[in-house]
Amino acid sequence: MVQGRHDSLRKCDFSSGKWVYDQTYPLYDAATCPYLTTRVTCRKNGRPDSDYEKWRWKPHGCNIPRFDALEFLGRMRRKRIMLVGDSIMRNQWESLVCLVESVVPTDRKTVTYAGPTMAFHALDFETSIEFCWAPLLVELKKGPGNKRILHLDLIEENAKYWRNADVLVFDSAHWWTHSDKWTSWDFLMEGKHVAWDMNRMVAYQRGLRTWAKWIDLNLDPRQSRVIFRSMSPRHNRDNGWKCYKQREPLEYASHPHVPEEMMVLKGVLKRMRFPVYLQDITTMSALRKDGHPSVYTQAGGDKAVKQHETNHGSADCSHWCLPGVPDIWNEMLNAML
C-alpha cells in the first residue's frame, strides 16, 4: 500500500490542481509558535478573517499527504535541511519550523545564528532546519563609494554555508526583477568586465549558471537532495491585482501566466548534470491573492487599514500570512522528499 502511494506521488504533477476548503486546517496555531516574525502573523495584527488558513492544495492526479511532524523528523534524523534565498524563503522557513516545533519539548529545541544563517535544532533527532540569506544566490558586495556590485560569476561567499547540507531548497527571482526605483545593485561585474546595466533576464540566467556550476562541481547526488522552488507570485498593483480585502482563492487562472524567470530557470536546470527537482508553486500560489498580509503587517492593523483606505498606506502583496500558503508548499516539499 505504501509502495502504491509512493508510486502515485512519483507520477503526480503536483503543480496542477485546485484549492479545497478544509476545516481541519491550519496545521499549527500561530499564537503558540514562537518563531513567527510580526509581519506574517496577520490575525494577531488585526486581520478580521481566517478562512485563508483553511485551504489545502489537491493535485488532479493524487493527494498530497497531510504533514506529520514526527514522521518528517524521523525521516530527517541526523540531517541538515537548508532553505536558501530571500525573505519569501524566510517566510517558508518559519512555516516549516512551526510545522515541526510543537512535537519537540521546549528544552530539546533551540535556534542558533551564524553569519547569514539561522538554524532550528530538534536536539533529540539531531535534525536542523536552516535558512540562509542569499536573495541573488551570487555575491552582492559593497564597492568604492558604497556602490553595490553584483558579481555574476562569484558565489563561494554564500555557497560555503551550503556544503554538507543533506537537503537544499533554493529560490531566487524577486531581487532580480525589482523595478528601477528599488533595484538591488548599482552595477554588475563578470570577471573584469563591468556593466552599468543589463537585461534583467540575461543577468538572471548568468547568475543561475554560476549557481548551477557550483552545484554540479561541489555536491554529490548520493548525499544531497536539491530542490529549486519556483517564483512566488506577487499580487500587487504592477500586475493588476491588489490583495487588500481578498477573502478567498480564485478558482482558476483565466490566463495562466508563465513568468519569464520560470523559462530561464527551466533552461538552466535542463543543462545540469546534478538532478535538481523543480518545485513549481507559481500557478497554484497565483490563485491565492487572499493569502498575503496586505495591510496587516504589524500590530495595530486598524491604523494601517485607515491609512490604506485614504491611499497613504502600502499593502504587502508579496509575503504570505502564516499559517497559510507556505505551509502547503512545505507539505508538497515533504511529499517530494
Side-chain angles (χ1 to χ4, degrees):
M1 218 164 91
V2 168
Q3 186 59 46
R5 186 176 98 172
H6 284 178
D7 284 347
S8 77
L9 285 178
R10 200 168 284 130
K11 294 190 189 89
C12 186
D13 174 8
F14 289 144
S15 67
S16 170
K18 62 178 183 178
W19 289 98
V20 176
Y21 189 79
D22 188 331
Q23 279 288 5
T24 67
Y25 279 64
L27 297 163
Y28 57 88
D29 179 359
T32 57
C33 180
Y35 305 103
L36 293 175
T37 40
T38 304
R39 79 194 303 177
V40 299
T41 53
C42 303
R43 287 180 70 190
K44 194 172 162 191
N45 297 339
R47 182 168 173 167
D49 59 312
S50 61
D51 279 359
Y52 66 88
E53 297 179 348
K54 298 187 187 311
W55 295 91
R56 66 178 169 84
W57 180 248
K58 168 75 180 79
H60 292 312
C62 62
N63 280 309
I64 293 175
R66 188 180 174 90
F67 192 92
D68 179 328
L70 280 174
E71 192 255 355
F72 178 81
L73 286 169
R75 257 188 303 123
M76 295 296 144
R77 188 181 291 278
R78 297 195 188 86
K79 288 188 169 42
R80 284 180 65 202
I81 305 145
M82 182 175 269
L83 281 60
V84 181
D86 56 20
S87 56
I88 296 176
M89 191 57 100
R90 162 77 189 256
N91 211 178
Q92 186 176 349
W93 175 83
E94 290 181 24
S95 155
L96 187 54
V97 170
C98 287
L99 283 166
V100 302
E101 67 87 26
S102 64
V103 300
V104 184
T106 307
D107 60 342
R108 305 306 297 151
K109 57 192 170 194
T110 182
V111 173
T112 57
Y113 302 85
T117 69
M118 54 205 298
F120 169 84
H121 303 269
L123 300 174
D124 293 333
F125 292 90
E126 296 172 62
T127 300
S128 66
I129 301 172
E130 306 177 33
F131 167 69
C132 179
W133 172 257
L136 295 151
L137 302 180
V138 291
E139 295 176 25
L140 183 65
K141 292 180 170 177
K142 280 273 165 65
N146 241 3
K147 294 287 188 198
R148 298 161 304 161
I149 310 165
L150 181 62
H151 293 268
L152 292 174
D153 55 347
L154 297 182
I155 199 165
E156 188 58 39
E157 278 300 301
N158 295 328
K160 65 185 180 189
Y161 296 100
W162 313 339
R163 294 177 192 279
N164 306 320
D166 300 281
V167 176
L168 280 158
V169 185
F170 291 93
D171 96 308
S172 184
H174 282 219
W175 277 49
W176 294 92
T177 55
H178 283 172
S179 61
D180 294 339
K181 189 177 153 201
W182 301 107
T183 181
S184 311
W185 58 83
D186 296 306
F187 57 92
L188 306 107
M189 280 187 77
E190 218 171 357
K192 300 259 185 291
H193 177 70
V194 177
W196 290 101
D197 204 13
M198 186 185 288
N199 176 292
R200 295 297 164 92
M201 287 304 108
V202 172
Y204 183 51
Q205 183 180 54
R206 290 181 185 177
L208 280 182
R209 281 179 182 161
T210 300
W211 166 83
K213 191 168 145 192
W214 188 91
I215 297 287
D216 277 341
L217 290 174
N218 290 281
L219 297 185
D220 179 348
R222 288 165 304 188
Q223 285 165 347
S224 307
R225 299 288 290 278
V226 177
I227 289 161
F228 204 110
R229 172 174 66 54
S230 71
M231 183 181 190
S232 170
R234 286 180 278 220
H235 293 112
N236 50 18
R237 288 187 185 87
D238 296 349
N239 50 20
W241 282 343
K242 297 176 189 165
C243 62
Y244 177 49
K245 280 196 172 167
Q246 298 298 329
R247 294 283 188 265
E248 54 186 38
L250 299 170
E251 277 191 48
Y252 56 88
S254 47
H255 304 288
H257 170 60
V258 179
E260 256 186 298
E261 294 90 335
M262 183 77 120
M263 312 302 286
V264 172
L265 173 60
K266 282 182 170 174
V268 171
L269 296 183
K270 218 187 300 193
R271 291 186 188 89
M272 291 177 70
R273 285 198 305 274
F274 192 102
V276 175
Y277 299 87
L278 175 65
Q279 182 186 6
D280 181 359
I281 55 89
T282 306
T283 311
M284 63 183 276
S285 307
L287 301 172
R288 292 301 309 275
K289 61 187 202 288
D290 60 314
H292 299 288
S294 174
V295 297
Y296 302 104
T297 54
Q298 52 197 356
D302 298 347
K303 200 165 91 187
V305 171
K306 286 194 182 75
Q307 274 184 340
H308 189 70
E309 289 180 340
T310 54
N311 271 333
H312 301 304
S314 61
D316 179 352
C317 298
S318 298
H319 298 93
W320 301 91
C321 295
L322 290 179
V325 172
D327 303 330
I328 310 302
W329 300 347
N330 283 323
E331 280 198 311
M332 188 193 286
L333 173 66
N334 181 40
M336 290 176 83
L337 291 172

